[in-house]
């Protein structure tokens, strides 16, 4: 959905570098979700944020991964010291309310390749 | 066992055929979503259902809450319908739980 903007679309990082993925939700949406799609696997929940708050990070790896959604600007998913296993498509979704009988709007995804 | 199971995993059909993709889930849900993903592309929401049936163009989605089952139908299928179709359920307000997806290929 063109309304949720993710950038970059493609990102190549060497092992050990940092990856920063950005997500601008649709206008008026204050709920942001990050999902990861590993090659040949289904989408998996990572983290749910509202403005300035992490609501649920139960799907985030314990180390190297962090997310924020500041008062101003996009939501950022940050992966430190990337490894080959981090190669995946990362999708952001936003909604006007929490996902309770509301439609999900997804971005185009960021495809991270770690070399 | 996954909480959301789709069948079939892969489906190849000829243009014009009627297509059915199934989704079964084992958890309590508030809503079910059908999503479409083209190769290398983003994810598009097709339907959100909490009961009954919805129709949009050649696409029809149904859900049976008692049986914990949903189907996505495509009538008069076309090669441009070739994509991965994903079923996802709302498990509480926080998150969606996804099926593995069904890879649909429509040959001309």
């Amino acid at each position: 959905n063109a309304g949720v903007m993710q950038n970059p679309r493609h990102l190549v990082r060497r092992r050990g570098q940092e990856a920063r993925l950005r997500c601008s939700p649709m206008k008026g949406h204050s709920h942001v979700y990050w999902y990861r799609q590993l090659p040949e696997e289904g989408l998996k929940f990572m983290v749910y944020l509202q403005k300035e708050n992490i609501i649920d990070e139960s799907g985030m790896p314990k180390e190297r991964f962090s997310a924020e959604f500041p008062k101003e600007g996009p939501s950022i998913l940050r992966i430190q010291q990337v490894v080959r296993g981090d190669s995946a498509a990362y999708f952001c979704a936003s909604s006007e309310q929490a996902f309770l009988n509301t439609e999900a709007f997804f971005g185009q995804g960021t495809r991270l390749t770690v070399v | 066992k996954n909480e959301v199971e789709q069948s079939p995993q892969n489906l190849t059909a000829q243009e014009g055929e009627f297509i059915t993709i199934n989704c079964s889930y084992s958890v309590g849900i508030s809503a079910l979503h059908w999503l479409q993903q083209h190769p290398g592309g983003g994810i598009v929401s097709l339907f959100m259902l909490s009961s009954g049936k919805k129709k949009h163009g050649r696409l029809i989605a149904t859900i049976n809450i008692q049986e914990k089952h949903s189907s996505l139908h495509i009538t008069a299928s076309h090669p441009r319908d070739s994509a991965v179709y994903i079923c996802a359920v709302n498990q509480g307000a926080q998150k969606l739980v996804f099926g593995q997806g069904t890879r649909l290929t429509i040959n001309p």
Side-chain angles (χ1 to χ4, degrees):
Chain A
N1 185 301
V4 178
M5 302 302 294
Q6 288 189 248
N7 67 80
R9 290 289 307 276
H10 300 274
L11 181 62
V12 179
R13 284 287 177 266
R14 295 186 185 280
R15 281 180 295 171
Q17 290 185 319
E18 179 179 286
R20 278 180 175 250
L21 288 63
R22 293 174 188 77
C23 170
S24 296
M26 283 185 69
K27 189 176 179 182
H29 287 191
S30 60
H31 300 255
V32 166
Y33 306 77
W34 285 93
Y35 298 91
R36 178 165 67 173
Q37 187 177 42
L38 292 166
E40 304 305 319
E41 292 189 21
L43 287 147
K44 295 286 195 297
F45 168 79
M46 297 184 77
V47 62
Y48 163 41
L49 308 105
Q50 293 180 30
K51 284 283 187 184
E52 300 183 274
N53 288 303
I54 297 173
I55 307 301
D56 182 349
E57 57 181 348
S58 58
M60 289 276 270
K62 294 285 184 269
E63 297 176 348
R64 303 187 297 108
F65 284 72
S66 62
E68 62 177 9
F69 188 16
K71 189 177 178 182
E72 301 290 337
S75 175
I76 306 286
L77 179 68
R78 182 180 178 209
I79 312 172
Q80 296 178 290
Q81 299 174 326
V82 295
V83 301
R84 288 230 169 97
D86 298 332
S87 295
Y90 292 83
F91 288 92
C92 165
S94 74
S95 64
E96 195 172 2
Q97 306 168 33
F99 276 163
L100 192 66
N101 298 336
T102 59
E103 191 175 352
F105 295 91
F106 286 83
Q108 291 289 303
T110 293
R111 278 147 185 88
L112 172 66
T113 302
V114 179
V115 297
Chain B
K1 189 178 188 302
N2 292 333
E3 292 169 310
V4 180
E5 294 276 355
Q6 286 185 236
S7 63
Q9 287 192 331
N10 294 282
L11 178 57
T12 300
Q14 290 300 121
E15 183 174 356
E17 287 189 37
F18 182 81
I19 303 298
T20 295
I21 299 170
N22 296 299
C23 175
S24 296
Y25 52 93
S26 57
V27 295
I29 69 168
S30 55
L32 181 143
H33 302 254
W34 280 102
L35 310 168
Q36 181 192 55
Q37 185 178 27
H38 283 280
I43 296 169
V44 175
S45 175
L46 298 174
F47 294 103
M48 187 193 71
L49 294 161
S50 53
S51 64
K53 176 179 174 179
K54 286 190 177 180
K55 185 176 189 290
H56 181 69
R58 295 180 295 106
L59 301 176
I60 303 166
T62 63
I63 187 168
N64 185 317
I65 297 292
Q66 287 74 29
E67 295 186 5
K68 296 188 175 179
H69 181 269
S70 175
S71 293
L72 176 69
H73 305 285
I74 305 174
T75 61
S77 59
H78 190 276
R80 65 174 174 266
D81 297 326
S82 298
V84 175
Y85 292 84
I86 303 169
C87 170
V89 300
N90 278 93
Q91 194 175 13
Q94 251 67 314
K95 62 185 81 169
L96 292 177
V97 179
F98 297 84
Q100 290 292 96
T102 294
R103 188 176 302 276
L104 175 65
T105 303
I106 304 296
N107 293 319

